[in-house]
Amino acid sequence: MPEQPPKLSLTSHILSEDKLRILKELLPEVFTEGNFIDWDRLRLTLGSNLESEEVKERFGLTWPGKRNCFKAIQSPTAATLLPDREASVDFDTTENLYIEGDNLEVLKLLQKSYLGKVKMIYIDPPYNTGNDFVYPDDYTESLKTYLEYTGQVDAGGRKFTNNSDTTGRFHSKWLNMMYPRLFLARNLLREDGVIFISIDDTEVAHLRKVCDEIFGEENFVGSLIWKSRISEDTRALHGLSADHEFLLLYRKTNGFSLRGEDKDKTKFSNPDDDPRGPWRSADATGLLSKEERPNCHYDLIDPSTGLVYRCPPRGWRFDKNTMDQKIKEGRILFPSTENGRPRHKLFINEMKSEFKNFSSILSDVNTALGTKEMQEFFNLSLFSYPKSSKLLKKLIIQSTSPDDIVLDFFSGSATTAHAVLALNAEDGGNRKFILVQLPEPTRKQKADGTWEETEASRAGFSTISEIGMERIRRVIAKLKAETTEEGSNGGKQSGKGKGKAYQVKKDEAPSLGFEETSDHLTHNGGGTERSLKSQDLGFRVFRLAPSNFPVWNGNLEKSKEAVEEALFATPVFPTTNPIHGTEEAILFEVLLKSGIERALATNEIKEETIVGQKVFIAYDSAYYVLGKSHTAEVFDEIMKRKPSLVIARESGFSGNDVLKANVHAQFRQMKDSNKEVRFLVV
C-alpha cells in the first residue's frame, strides 16, 4: 500500500519532545535504539560522578504532589477553543483575545502558536486565603473536570473546590495548582519578556522558591511593595494592619530591564542664560571614603573669592583635574560662605537617560481606585478589592513597547484589558491583550449546599467571565465616546451581547463620566480630544471545549465490534454548543494545532476558491483544504504556489487512499527539490 501522509496532531504541544530533540542534537551518543537515554553514558559524557545522587540532600522546595505537577505539564490536551462572535466586538478585525476556560488547558493550547510571542505577563492568582481559591481536585484530567464544573457533561464526582486550611495540604494544593501554569507560561514569554505576579504574605515565600526554580534565581528582578490600603485594617487580630501586598518580578533572560520613571524636567531652567541650555543644580559630593578613592578627597577653592570649602567626609564627585576643568567652564556653583557646599550644573542635554530607576514602592494605586472604577462602569460593587487599571498601566509602561502582547491568565474583572486599551488611547500604542478566565459562578455555595446570591448575580452576571467581558465592552464604548469622530454615534459598538449592553446608554451616562448633549455623548474628564480610528477597540471571545474532531479513545474495548463502531460512527460532540463542528470552529482548531503564528488573532487569513474547492490561506503560505470532496486538480494548483504547509480534511478524500498517497508523494518530491513543505491530514 502506498505511503500515507502523517496526521495533524489533535493534542496540544508536548514539551518533553522538544527537550528530547534538543538533547539528541547536542548529545546523540547518549541515545540507544528506540530513542531511549542511556543515563550512565550521559553521566560519562558530562564528566559526572557515577555515584548515585538519589540519597544526597539537595537544596530546594518540595511538597506532596510536586512529581505530579510534571505529569500535568507533559500531559497534552485534546481540547480546542471555539470562537464566539456574538460575545465579541469587531471579531473580524481585532487581535485582542478573551478566552473563557481553565487556564491550564488554555496555556497548553497556546504553546504552539504563541511560543515566545508574549512580552509581558501579569497575573493576580488566588492568594490561598481558604475562601476564594477555586481548585480542580483532579487537575490531571483538567478538560473533563472543567466540563463537569461548567455543566457541559454529567458530573462524575470531580469538582472545583475551595482550598480550606483544614484539608491538611493547604500549601501543597496551592503549589500544585501554580507550578504547571507558571512553567507553561514561561514558554510563551519572549526572550526579553517579563512576568509580574501579585501575591500576599500567605504564599509569597513559597512562590519565590517556585519561581526561582522555573525562571532561575538569577532572573529574579525584584519584589515590588504595593500599598494596597489607604486606611488601617480595623479587623487586624494582632494589632498589625497589613496595608501592603507584593508583586514578584521575574524576567525570562537577562535581555530585560524596566524602562524607568520619567525624570522631572521641570527642575531645569536657565536663569543665567547659559548658552549650553537649561540646567539644574546637582550634588557635587562623592560616595566613597578617602581610602577607597583618595584622588577625590581635597579642599576646594573658589578662584574668584579665595573661599576654601573643606573636603566632605565622602569627598567630591570628581577628581582634582576634572573639578578644575569644570571650574574653568563655569560649571561649579560656589556658596557665598565657606560653610556652604559647592554644587555643579547638570545640563538637560547631558543626561544619559530621560528616565530614572523605577521605585520598588508603589503607593498611589490602592484598591480604592479599583473599586471606584468598577462603580463607575457598573454602579455596583462586583468585586472585593479589585486592582486598578492605573496599577496595571504602570507595569505595562515599564515593560512593553507599543506593539507588544500582554497576557493575563487569572484575569478576574479584566483590569489588564482595561489598562491596555486605555494606555493605547493615551500614547497611540497598538498593544494586544490575551485574557483567560474560568467561568467561576458569581453565586456562593454555602456549607449546606444551597446557593447564596451576590450583588453580581443579582445584577444578572452568572459568572466572573461575563463581568470581565462586559467591562471590556464598556471600556471600549467609553473610549469611543471620548472622541469627537466616534462620539456622534453614542459610543455604539458592533455586535450583540447576550443580554448585555454593547453601548453606553444615555441613562447610564452620568455614572460613566459622560455628559449628555443633543446629539452625542462627550467625556467630561477634560484633556485633548483624539481619534481612535486606527486603534484596535475590539476583542475576540473563545471558549474552551472538546475537539471538533473525534479523538481516539485509548481505553477502548479491544474487540472488532467496538473498534468498528469507533471508526465509523457519526461524531457526537460532548457539548451542545452550536459552534461545535462548524467550518469556522474547525478552521480555528486546525490553525491553532498546526502552530500558525498567533493563530487565534491573526487577520492574515483569506478564503479562496481553487478549482471549485474552498481553501483557506494563512500568511500566503499555509493552505487549509477543509472541503468534503478533494480532487487532484486542487492540490496541483496549490503546489504551483509553492506552499510551506498544506492540511487537508481526511473526510474530503472519501476513502480514496490512492489519491491521498499520490498527493503525499508529490509534496515529498517538492521537499526533495529543496522546497520544505509539510502535508498533513486531519
Side-chain angles (χ1 to χ4, degrees):
M1 184 175 178
E3 182 180 355
Q4 296 296 313
K7 294 247 184 182
L8 172 68
S9 174
L10 292 175
T11 62
S12 60
H13 195 43
I14 302 175
L15 302 172
S16 57
E17 291 182 356
D18 283 346
K19 298 187 187 313
L20 282 172
R21 188 186 69 253
I22 295 170
L23 183 61
K24 193 168 187 177
E25 290 174 357
L26 294 173
L27 301 170
E29 67 273 18
V30 306
F31 283 81
T32 66
E33 185 177 3
N35 207 35
F36 296 106
I37 297 176
D38 184 327
W39 296 106
D40 288 337
R41 183 171 293 178
L42 177 61
R43 290 190 184 97
L44 285 170
T45 301
L46 298 177
S48 300
N49 193 324
L50 292 178
E51 179 186 352
S52 173
E53 297 183 2
E54 293 179 0
V55 297
K56 292 184 178 181
E57 294 181 339
R58 299 180 183 179
F59 179 79
L61 177 65
T62 188
W63 62 88
K66 184 176 182 180
R67 184 181 298 271
N68 288 331
C69 288
F70 293 97
K71 293 181 181 179
I73 291 167
Q74 294 166 6
S75 299
T77 178
T80 189
L81 298 172
L82 298 181
D84 187 342
R85 286 180 170 271
E86 189 178 1
S88 305
V89 176
D90 294 337
F91 187 95
D92 289 324
T93 57
T94 184
E95 296 180 41
N96 295 314
L97 301 177
Y98 189 99
I99 304 173
E100 181 185 85
D102 173 13
N103 53 19
L104 179 60
E105 296 289 281
V106 173
L107 288 169
K108 289 181 180 181
L109 288 170
L110 297 179
Q111 293 296 306
K112 284 185 180 179
S113 288
Y114 291 86
L115 187 71
K117 298 293 189 296
V118 175
K119 178 60 188 300
M120 170 190 163
I121 297 174
Y122 168 80
I123 55 171
D124 184 12
Y127 282 7
N128 205 15
T129 62
N131 298 316
D132 62 347
F133 180 33
V134 180
Y135 180 83
D137 285 346
D138 188 351
Y139 60 89
T140 60
E141 295 186 16
S142 198
L143 178 61
K144 188 173 188 295
T145 305
Y146 171 76
L147 294 176
E148 292 172 354
Y149 174 72
T150 54
Q152 298 181 61
V153 296
D154 293 335
R158 285 173 289 275
K159 59 185 184 299
F160 285 56
T161 63
N162 290 341
N163 186 31
S164 170
D165 56 5
T166 61
T167 63
R169 298 182 67 183
F170 183 62
H171 296 294
S172 298
K173 290 184 73 173
W174 188 85
L175 291 168
N176 287 335
M177 185 273 293
M178 289 296 295
Y179 195 100
R181 288 160 173 82
L182 290 172
F183 190 100
L184 293 169
R186 182 186 179 277
N187 296 330
L188 301 180
L189 283 174
R190 287 174 15 183
E191 291 304 299
D192 61 346
V194 63
I195 183 170
F196 295 87
I197 309 173
S198 285
I199 199 67
D200 69 359
D201 281 310
T202 307
E203 297 291 354
V204 65
H206 299 136
L207 183 61
R208 274 287 305 271
K209 291 300 180 187
V210 165
C211 288
D212 283 348
E213 183 173 319
I214 293 173
F215 293 93
E217 189 174 0
E218 70 279 7
N219 290 317
F220 173 64
V221 178
S223 177
L224 306 182
I225 311 300
W226 173 48
K227 191 178 187 309
S228 57
R229 302 180 63 89
I230 56 175
S231 59
E232 74 280 359
D233 186 356
T234 58
R235 302 165 299 175
L237 299 179
H238 305 291
L240 177 65
S241 176
D243 297 341
H244 73 281
E245 294 177 13
F246 301 95
L247 275 160
L248 297 188
L249 172 53
Y250 281 81
R251 63 189 183 185
K252 187 174 183 181
T253 66
N254 60 10
F256 170 82
S257 64
L258 295 170
R259 188 202 71 166
E261 294 274 27
D262 292 323
K263 289 182 178 177
D264 185 2
K265 295 182 180 179
T266 61
K267 296 180 179 180
F268 289 86
S269 63
N270 197 357
D272 58 353
D273 294 325
D274 194 308
R276 290 165 290 199
W279 56 272
R280 69 172 178 84
S281 168
D283 187 9
T285 59
L287 300 173
L288 301 174
S289 66
K290 188 173 184 180
E291 290 74 20
E292 294 170 302
R293 198 171 182 186
N295 60 336
C296 288
H297 285 256
Y298 52 86
D299 292 339
L300 185 59
I301 301 173
D302 180 354
S304 61
T305 64
L307 291 176
V308 178
Y309 304 92
R310 299 300 179 186
C311 180
R314 291 286 177 177
W316 301 104
R317 184 174 296 271
F318 315 107
D319 60 42
K320 187 69 168 62
N321 292 334
T322 303
M323 184 70 82
D324 289 343
Q325 183 62 35
K326 287 185 176 293
I327 292 173
K328 292 178 182 178
E329 294 174 357
R331 291 173 176 261
I332 302 302
L333 305 170
F334 290 102
S336 57
T337 67
E338 292 178 340
N339 294 328
R341 186 79 73 196
R343 296 173 66 84
H344 73 102
K345 282 185 174 183
L346 177 63
F347 292 92
I348 195 169
N349 58 11
E350 293 177 338
M351 288 194 304
K352 294 181 180 179
S353 170
E354 296 183 20
F355 308 107
K356 60 183 179 181
N357 288 338
F358 187 71
S359 174
S360 63
I361 307 296
L362 303 173
S363 59
D364 59 345
V365 282
N366 51 68
T367 56
L369 295 174
T371 301
K372 182 180 178 182
E373 285 179 345
M374 294 300 288
Q375 285 280 357
E376 288 176 346
F377 280 103
F378 293 98
N379 277 333
L380 297 168
S381 296
L382 301 180
F383 282 84
S384 300
Y385 313 113
K387 305 293 189 295
S388 76
S389 62
K390 186 176 179 181
L391 169 64
L392 268 296
K393 280 166 61 177
K394 277 180 174 285
L395 305 181
I396 295 169
I397 288 171
Q398 289 303 313
S399 55
T400 70
S401 297
D403 294 315
D404 289 339
I405 299 176
V406 178
L407 168 65
D408 182 348
F409 53 90
F410 285 98
S411 69
S413 64
T415 303
T416 300
H418 183 175
V420 169
L421 292 169
L423 182 58
N424 283 344
E426 290 177 11
D427 67 5
N430 194 32
R431 301 170 188 85
K432 307 300 179 185
F433 63 77
I434 303 174
L435 266 58
V436 185
Q437 176 58 42
L438 186 76
E440 182 182 348
T442 53
R443 295 189 303 164
K444 302 300 180 184
Q445 191 169 20
K446 295 188 288 188
D448 60 4
T450 61
W451 291 89
E452 178 184 355
E453 298 292 337
T454 63
E455 195 164 0
S457 64
R458 286 190 292 269
F461 297 103
S462 60
T463 65
I464 299 298
S465 51
E466 285 185 10
I467 298 174
M469 285 185 276
E470 182 60 17
R471 179 181 185 178
I472 301 173
R473 296 181 193 119
R474 296 191 180 200
V475 169
I476 290 171
K478 179 180 177 182
L479 291 172
K480 285 195 171 184
E482 284 178 339
T483 66
T484 302
E485 183 174 352
E486 298 289 337
S488 60
N489 65 10
K492 189 174 181 180
Q493 298 293 307
S494 63
K496 295 180 180 179
K498 296 180 179 179
K500 299 293 187 293
Y502 265 63
Q503 61 187 28
V504 178
K505 299 176 181 178
K506 288 189 176 182
D507 58 355
E508 294 176 331
S511 67
L512 297 179
F514 296 91
E515 294 176 348
E516 186 177 340
T517 66
S518 59
D519 59 350
H520 65 277
L521 298 174
T522 57
H523 192 250
N524 57 25
T528 304
E529 292 182 335
R530 59 190 178 276
S531 172
L532 303 181
K533 200 170 185 179
S534 62
Q535 294 191 2
D536 187 345
L537 291 175
F539 65 105
R540 292 180 177 181
V541 176
F542 288 86
R543 301 182 192 272
L544 184 69
S547 174
N548 292 285
F549 302 93
V551 179
W552 184 257
N553 181 8
N555 299 318
L556 192 69
E557 179 187 343
K558 303 301 187 292
S559 69
K560 177 182 177 183
E561 293 77 14
V563 172
E564 286 181 347
E565 182 180 356
L567 285 173
F568 302 111
T570 301
V572 177
F573 298 114
T575 73
T576 57
N577 192 321
I579 304 298
H580 244 135
T582 63
E583 186 177 76
E584 184 169 53
I586 291 172
L587 175 63
F588 274 111
E589 179 167 2
V590 173
L591 288 171
L592 186 64
K593 292 180 177 178
S594 64
I596 287 294
E597 183 176 343
R598 298 172 65 172
L600 301 178
T602 179
N603 294 312
E604 297 293 325
I605 301 173
K606 61 184 179 181
E607 180 183 325
E608 186 175 336
T609 300
I610 301 178
V611 194
Q613 179 89 50
K614 183 187 292 185
V615 177
F616 296 94
I617 307 170
Y619 296 108
D620 294 323
S621 179
Y623 289 73
Y624 301 88
V625 189
L626 302 180
K628 298 180 180 179
S629 182
H630 302 332
T631 64
E633 290 76 15
V634 172
F635 296 104
D636 288 341
E637 179 60 32
I638 291 175
M639 288 179 203
K640 294 176 184 177
R641 303 184 182 196
K642 301 187 181 345
S644 61
L645 171 68
V646 179
I647 297 178
R649 189 80 179 270
E650 173 82 40
S651 59
F653 288 100
S654 303
N656 190 341
D657 290 339
V658 174
L659 172 61
K660 186 167 54 174
N662 288 340
V663 173
H664 177 47
Q666 287 178 284
F667 280 114
R668 288 196 63 178
Q669 288 177 359
M670 292 180 65
K671 181 178 181 180
D672 294 339
S673 62
N674 297 323
K675 171 61 181 176
E676 182 68 31
V677 59
R678 288 191 298 155
F679 175 57
L680 305 170
V681 295
V682 63

